[in-house]
Amino acid sequence: MYKLNSHIDTDGREYRKNFVHYSSILLHYRQVMQQVMQGGPEKAIDKHRARNKLLPRERIDLLIDPGTPFLELSTLAAYEQYNNAFPSAGIVTGIGVIHGRETVIVANDATVKGGTYVKETIRKHIRAQEIAMQNNLPCVYMVDSGGVFLPNQAEVFPDRNDFGRIFFNQARLSAKGCPQISIVMGSSTAGGAYIPAMSDECIIVKNQGTIFIGGPPLVKAATGEVVTPEELGGAEVHTTKSGVADHFAENDQHAISICRSTFETLQPLEKQTLVIKEPEEPLYDPRELPGIIEADPKKQCNPYEIIARLTDGSRFHEFKARYATTLVTGFAHIMGYPVGIIANNGVLFAESSLKGTHFIELCNFRKIPLLFLQDITGFMVGKTYETSGLARDGSKLVHAVANTTVPKITIITKGSYGAGNYAMAGRAFDPNFLFMWPGARISVMGGEQAANVLAQVKIDQLTATGKPVNMEEIEKMKNEIREKYEKEGSPFYSSSRLWDDGIIEPSQTRQVVALAIATTLNKRFEEPRSGIYRM
C-alpha cells in the first residue's frame, strides 16, 4: 500500500484558524460530556452510595476485563430534553470485553429518577439489543430500575418498539444463542421484572435487589396485604422459594464476580477471521484533525488528509483514483484490521455512484469491513444529470449499501445532507455503528438552502394568487427556518434522539473503529448478494 503525503501546513494561518474554531467545539463537547456522565443529582448519588451501591459506570469498570476499553454508546441520549432531568436517559449502554468476549452491557442508573424509563431510555436499551442481535453478542443487564416513568406512560408502553420490545428481544437473542444474564442490583419492578425473569441466568444482591410484578404499594391497594419489598421479592425469596434468581450475592462486587465467573462457562464462537496485521500509528498525528476540518461550512474537507491520520502507517491503496474523484475509495488497515474506506470529496455524480457500487462489491467478496466517512451535500441536481439517468445510477449505490454483507461503520465527519446520508450508510441503512464528530451537521439540507427553497415556494404561491409579496415577512420566515435548522442539525440534537450511536472526538476515531470492527467479528459474514440493478 502507498503512504499518503500530507500537504497541510500545521503552522499555516488557515490551519490555525480551523484548529481554534474546532477547539472551541471540542471544549463545549467535553463540558457537556462531563456534566452528563455525573449522573443524577448529588443528593440522589449520596443516597445511592449510602446504601453501599456502586454507580453504573463503576459497576461496568469492575465487570469488564482489567485494562480493556469500554465503548460507551449514546451518552448524550435525552440531552436538553425533560429539563435535563434524565442524563444519558438514565441508562448506560455499551460494549465491553468479559473474559475475552465482546459483550453488550446495559446498566440502569438509579440516581436518575430511580432508573425509570422514558422514551429515549427505551430506544437506547433496544438499540443496545439490536447491536447484540446484529453482531451475535451476549448481553449483561445490570438492573436497578423502577420500570416505566409513569407520567410519560403513553409514550413508552403500548407501541411496537416501546417497553415490551425489550423482553421480545431478550427472548429472540436467547433463542439465537446470545446469552442473556441479569444482575439485579436494585429494584426490578412491574414490567421490568421480566428482564431478570427472562434471562438465561440471574444474579441478585442481598438486601438490595428486588424483583416483583407489583410492588408493596400496589399489593396493598389491590389486596390490602402489607408486605416489605424484601419479603415480597428480595434475594432470599427468589433464591430459596420462587427460583426466579439463580445466584445469591452479598454485594455489588460479589455479584459482578459471579457474573464474570458465568462467562467462563460460555462456549467459544465460530468467529469471522480477517488477516490482521501488527497495528501501527499513522505517520501524521490524529490530534491534528481539528485543524483539517474546515471552519467554513461551505468548504469540503480533504478526505486524504483525514485518511492519513486514521490508517496504519498512513497507508492507503486507492481504488479508481483517477475516476469519479468526488468519491474516494480504497483499502487500508486501522489498528491492524483491514478496512475498505469510502469517503466524500464533493457531490455525488452518476460516475461516483458506479465507482462506490463497484468498490462495495469488491469488499463484499473479499470479506473486508466498510468504513464510510461522511461529508456529503448530496447528489448533483439539474436537467443534464437527471436526463442522463443520475437516479438510476445513484440507486445502484443505494442498493449496494443496503445489501452489503460485510459490516458497515459510518462516521459523520462534517456534513450529512439529503439522499447523500442514505447513500453513505446513514442510520436508515443499518450500519453496525454510526458515530458523529462534535462539529458535524445532519439534516435534509442546509439551513440556508431550506430557507431559500421555502421562501421561493411562498413567493410563487403569492404571485400565482395575485397577492403582494412582503419581503420583510419573507425574510422573517427565512430567519425562523435558519434558526430551526441550526438547532435541529446539531450533533447534540441528533445524539439526544439516538439518530446515532454517540458523538466521538476526531482523535478517538481509530480506537472506536477498531473496537467496532472487533465487535462485528463475532459471527461469520454472509455471502455476497444484491437486488436488481436498473441498467
Side-chain angles (χ1 to χ4, degrees):
M1 291 188 183
Y2 299 99
K3 291 181 180 178
L4 292 171
N5 290 316
S6 176
H7 301 285
I8 293 290
D9 178 8
T10 55
D11 293 320
R13 184 169 172 271
E14 189 69 19
Y15 176 87
R16 299 308 306 171
K17 184 182 78 172
N18 290 337
F19 195 92
V20 169
H21 174 261
Y22 213 89
S23 293
S24 67
I25 292 172
L26 285 172
L27 178 62
H28 173 63
Y29 163 71
R30 290 165 184 165
Q31 289 170 340
V32 169
M33 287 288 283
Q34 184 179 23
Q35 170 194 334
V36 164
M37 292 180 75
Q38 288 174 353
E42 197 171 321
K43 183 179 178 181
I45 293 171
D46 291 343
K47 188 175 180 181
H48 191 84
R49 290 198 183 281
R51 295 171 174 166
N52 294 318
K53 295 168 70 173
L54 298 171
L55 296 173
R57 291 178 179 87
E58 293 171 342
R59 289 167 171 169
I60 292 169
D61 285 344
L62 283 178
L63 178 65
I64 62 177
D65 293 350
T68 61
F70 176 64
L71 179 57
E72 185 168 337
L73 304 170
S74 304
T75 307
L76 297 180
Y79 176 65
E80 291 194 331
Q81 299 188 69
Y82 312 99
N83 295 316
N84 278 327
F86 283 87
S88 288
I91 195 169
V92 180
T93 65
I95 297 160
V97 176
I98 306 175
H99 280 295
R101 191 148 177 169
E102 286 84 14
T103 303
V104 164
I105 301 169
V106 177
N108 298 114
D109 188 348
T111 72
V112 178
K113 300 290 185 181
T116 53
Y117 281 63
V118 290
K119 179 171 65 176
E120 287 71 23
T121 322
I122 291 169
R123 290 191 67 181
K124 187 170 173 177
H125 193 136
I126 289 174
R127 173 60 186 150
Q129 291 178 315
E130 287 172 352
I131 289 169
M133 191 87 69
Q134 192 174 26
N135 299 289
N136 200 35
L137 305 179
C139 297
V140 172
Y141 304 97
M142 306 181 99
V143 185
D144 197 346
S145 169
V148 163
F149 184 61
L150 294 178
N152 286 29
Q153 67 87 24
E155 295 179 13
V156 296
F157 170 66
D159 209 351
R160 181 177 184 270
N161 284 319
D162 284 346
F163 200 56
R165 192 73 178 187
I166 294 169
F167 319 129
F168 174 85
N169 286 342
Q170 278 188 266
R172 297 294 294 271
L173 282 161
S174 181
K176 273 192 69 174
C178 299
Q180 304 291 289
I181 299 168
S182 284
I183 313 175
V184 183
M185 310 172 105
S187 295
S188 184
T189 306
Y194 285 107
I195 292 175
M198 294 192 68
S199 294
D200 300 1
E201 290 193 53
C202 175
I203 304 152
I204 188 168
V205 179
K206 168 187 174 183
N207 295 327
Q208 186 172 301
T210 54
I211 306 170
F212 32 63
I213 300 298
L218 181 59
V219 169
K220 184 177 180 181
T223 68
E225 183 182 7
V226 177
V227 62
T228 68
E230 196 65 28
E231 292 169 336
L232 185 62
E236 188 69 29
V237 170
H238 286 310
T239 55
T240 63
K241 296 180 180 177
S242 74
V244 172
D246 309 301
H247 306 281
F248 181 94
E250 294 290 335
N251 51 40
D252 280 6
Q253 291 85 344
H254 184 210
I256 289 166
S257 70
I258 294 171
C259 181
R260 285 187 53 80
S261 178
T262 299
F263 268 74
E264 294 186 81
T265 71
L266 303 185
Q267 295 302 300
L269 294 170
E270 186 179 353
K271 301 181 78 167
Q272 177 65 41
T273 56
L274 297 176
V275 179
I276 300 171
K277 295 187 175 183
E278 188 70 26
E280 289 181 73
E281 289 299 314
L283 295 178
Y284 306 99
D285 194 338
R287 290 174 296 183
E288 294 173 350
L289 284 167
I292 289 162
I293 305 160
E294 295 285 353
D296 185 346
K298 295 178 182 177
K299 285 187 179 180
Q300 182 87 34
C301 291
N302 185 329
Y304 297 99
E305 297 290 351
I306 294 175
I307 293 167
R309 288 159 179 81
L310 296 183
T311 64
D312 290 3
S314 298
R315 282 189 287 271
F316 184 57
H317 177 68
E318 190 168 2
F319 175 73
K320 284 188 185 292
R322 301 176 64 192
Y323 178 76
T325 56
T326 62
L327 191 69
V328 174
T329 56
F331 301 96
H333 285 79
I334 292 179
M335 297 193 77
Y337 293 102
V339 64
I341 297 175
I342 301 179
N344 299 115
N345 194 27
V347 70
L348 288 170
F349 293 91
E351 294 83 1
S352 38
S353 299
L354 295 173
K355 174 180 174 177
T357 303
H358 186 172
F359 183 71
I360 288 170
E361 288 181 327
L362 288 178
C363 290
N364 279 341
F365 277 90
R366 295 177 188 177
K367 300 288 193 290
I368 296 175
L370 283 161
L371 173 64
F372 291 82
L373 299 176
Q374 276 202 28
D375 179 13
I376 179 66
T377 55
F379 286 87
M380 190 61 188
V381 296
K383 181 179 177 181
T384 300
Y385 306 101
E386 296 292 358
T387 55
S388 65
L390 173 63
R392 176 195 61 229
D393 292 330
S395 73
K396 292 182 177 69
L397 178 58
V398 174
H399 255 288
V401 172
N403 287 312
T404 305
T405 53
V406 294
K408 303 188 291 279
I409 298 157
T410 303
I411 310 289
I412 301 178
T413 62
K414 194 179 179 193
S416 177
Y417 298 106
N421 170 277
Y422 307 147
M424 290 293 292
R427 189 66 138 182
F429 280 71
D430 273 353
N432 295 63
F433 296 93
L434 185 151
F435 298 98
M436 297 182 78
W437 284 358
R441 308 289 302 174
I442 182 168
S443 54
V444 71
M445 62 178 69
E448 190 62 37
Q449 293 92 324
N452 289 333
V453 167
L454 293 172
Q456 191 58 53
V457 169
K458 185 67 174 177
I459 290 168
D460 291 346
Q461 288 174 343
L462 293 170
T463 302
T465 55
K467 295 178 181 178
V469 177
N470 185 326
M471 292 311 297
E472 286 186 8
E473 288 295 321
I474 294 294
E475 194 56 40
K476 180 184 175 185
M477 182 186 81
K478 288 172 71 173
N479 285 333
E480 289 172 352
I481 294 164
R482 290 187 192 103
E483 289 173 9
K484 178 180 175 66
Y485 272 67
E486 178 64 26
K487 177 185 175 184
E488 295 179 358
S490 160
F492 295 95
Y493 191 93
S494 167
S495 220
S496 175
R497 288 152 183 81
L498 288 99
W499 298 345
D500 54 60
D501 291 314
I503 301 174
I504 61 171
E505 296 198 19
S507 61
Q508 298 171 332
T509 304
R510 273 173 51 79
Q511 291 82 359
V512 169
V513 169
L515 285 168
I517 293 174
T519 297
T520 67
L521 303 181
N522 283 278
K523 69 172 186 178
R524 294 279 190 179
F525 300 165
E526 295 177 21
E527 290 306 308
R529 65 176 189 274
S530 67
I532 304 299
Y533 291 135
R534 294 185 65 85
M535 305 305 288

